[in-house]
Amino acid sequence: MKFRITIERKPGLADPEGKATIRSLHDLGYTDVQHVSFGRAIVLDIDSTDETAALDEVDAMCQQLLANPVMESYRIERIG
Amino acid sequence: MTIAVVVFPGTNCEHDAVHALTLLGADAELVWHRETDLDDFSGIVLPGGFAHGDYLRTGAIARFSPVMAAVTEAADTGKPVLGICNGFQILCEAGLLPGALIANRDLAFICKPIHVRVESTNSILTSAATVGDVLRIPLNSYEGNYIAPPQDLATIETGGLVTLRYCDENGDVSDLANPNGSTNNIAGISNARGNVAAVMPHPERAAELILGSDDGRRLLEGFVAATKTSSQTNSVAAS
């Protein structure tokens, strides 16, 4: 089964990519944009038939390696 | 005793580190990241580069290299552990130092000499320096922008764990003299005990006047002295 992990910078921490992008969007006339934050997505294909166990496993992976709890939050969704 | 300079796949400043430490009279040798025993070394350097390609996040994969258990053990027993540039990022990912390093404020790779001011001498990196010293050292990084959650930042600042701050040539710390957007101009920090320290610019590239500055010596001399004290303590403990 497939899972998508979306990792985002925690609010309040510096986000240079977001800052540069919002400036450019404003220059293009999209002045109603209030905030841009950057993250990334990781898709995992897990050989499992037990969704709950697989979700727990993916959560452990996020905590150990895939996300940095100092500066990032994450959410996991099943996509296949 | 000898200083271990750890080499991960993608490390590229290991020879500079060995060269500079040798100039200062230390014995230093390269140690591959799959080594699991660092007991025979008096200190450890995690040098600059792009360990494991900097994939995922800088330092994120390196922190699980086999050598890191031994680095953590050495840090816990009080041995001097110094991270330079990528080594700083690895020590943060490993939780041996607080905070994290993200992309530079202006999203540009910075490669130029900058100035840092010594803020504290209670670390292996700054023990041979004096508070207020202004040093000219090259910065060479894309992810050099130091951030920390507010509670960690408060601990760092109130605990005197900031060792170096970016400044201008007169030692003034300001936004204008902040090359990469680091919080509070932080260029170097240590743990509370002072034996684990990290710095974003490269003191090993400023250890000879022919390279434009030998200000980095003032930092590395402290580190080398700390490794000598550490090995004396170890041999006393062993006898």
Side-chain angles (χ1 to χ4, degrees):
Chain A
M1 51 187 77
K2 276 191 173 180
F3 296 91
R4 183 193 290 124
I5 304 160
T6 308
I7 296 169
E8 288 179 328
R9 181 76 42 89
K10 280 185 178 168
L13 292 176
D15 184 352
E17 290 97 337
K19 227 173 174 180
T21 308
I22 198 170
R23 216 175 294 142
S24 185
L25 287 171
H26 287 170
D27 287 347
L28 289 169
Y30 301 106
T31 49
D32 53 351
V33 180
Q34 301 283 304
H35 184 71
V36 176
S37 81
F38 267 66
R40 62 178 179 279
I42 301 173
V43 174
L44 299 179
D45 197 347
I46 308 255
D47 181 13
S48 171
T49 49
D50 181 343
E51 182 175 332
T52 314
L55 270 172
D56 284 348
E57 196 186 348
V58 175
D59 189 66
M61 291 177 200
C62 287
Q63 291 189 34
Q64 203 179 349
L65 174 68
L66 299 177
N68 178 345
V70 172
M71 58 174 176
E72 293 169 333
S73 61
Y74 62 88
R75 61 171 192 278
I76 305 164
E77 57 191 319
R78 186 167 172 190
I79 56 168
Chain B
M1 270 171 75
T2 308
I3 297 168
V5 176
V6 179
V7 183
F8 299 90
T11 297
N12 63 12
C13 300
E14 69 272 29
H15 293 288
D16 312 49
V18 169
H19 176 72
L21 293 169
T22 307
L23 274 179
L24 295 174
D27 290 322
E29 68 180 56
L30 303 178
V31 174
W32 185 233
H33 77 118
R34 302 205 71 84
E35 179 60 56
T36 53
D37 181 356
L38 297 176
D39 285 353
D40 288 340
F41 294 96
S42 55
I44 300 160
V45 176
L46 302 184
F50 303 85
H52 298 276
D54 273 355
Y55 295 130
L56 193 61
R57 296 177 307 276
T58 55
I61 296 175
R63 72 158 289 202
F64 291 109
S65 272
V67 75
M68 287 307 293
V71 172
T72 303
E73 191 192 322
D76 289 346
T77 58
K79 256 189 206 176
V81 176
L82 170 63
I84 302 171
C85 195
N86 194 214
F88 192 166
Q89 296 157 344
I90 296 168
L91 289 173
C92 286
E93 279 285 342
L96 291 172
L97 289 173
L101 291 131
I102 62 167
N104 294 338
R105 176 190 52 212
D106 299 327
L107 297 176
F109 192 100
I110 300 172
C111 182
K112 64 175 184 186
I114 48 83
H115 292 89
V116 289
R117 190 177 76 188
V118 176
E119 298 289 303
S120 146
T121 54
N122 299 323
S123 83
I124 49 146
L125 186 65
T126 47
S127 58
T130 306
V131 170
D133 279 354
V134 176
L135 310 174
R136 186 169 182 267
I137 294 174
L139 183 64
N140 187 68
S141 49
Y142 182 76
E143 275 110 348
N145 183 349
Y146 183 79
I147 58 167
Q151 66 276 21
D152 283 350
L153 197 62
T155 309
I156 296 165
E157 290 288 356
T158 56
L161 306 184
V162 177
T163 54
L164 299 163
R165 287 187 214 275
Y166 299 109
C167 65
D168 64 18
E169 69 257 39
N170 300 315
D172 288 332
V173 172
S174 66
D175 275 348
L176 216 58
N178 187 342
N180 53 20
S182 281
T183 308
N184 299 353
N185 287 46
I186 290 172
I189 57 169
S190 73
N191 64 353
R193 197 170 173 180
N195 69 307
V196 180
V199 56
M200 186 44 59
H202 290 263
E204 82 283 15
R205 293 191 195 172
E208 290 164 281
L209 282 175
I210 196 170
L211 298 176
S213 166
D214 64 354
D215 288 356
R217 277 179 178 245
R218 226 170 303 169
L219 300 178
L220 296 178
E221 275 164 0
F223 174 67
V224 169
T227 63
K228 289 184 175 155
T229 318
S230 143
S231 69
Q232 271 166 12
T233 315
N234 284 345
S235 37
V236 169
S239 59

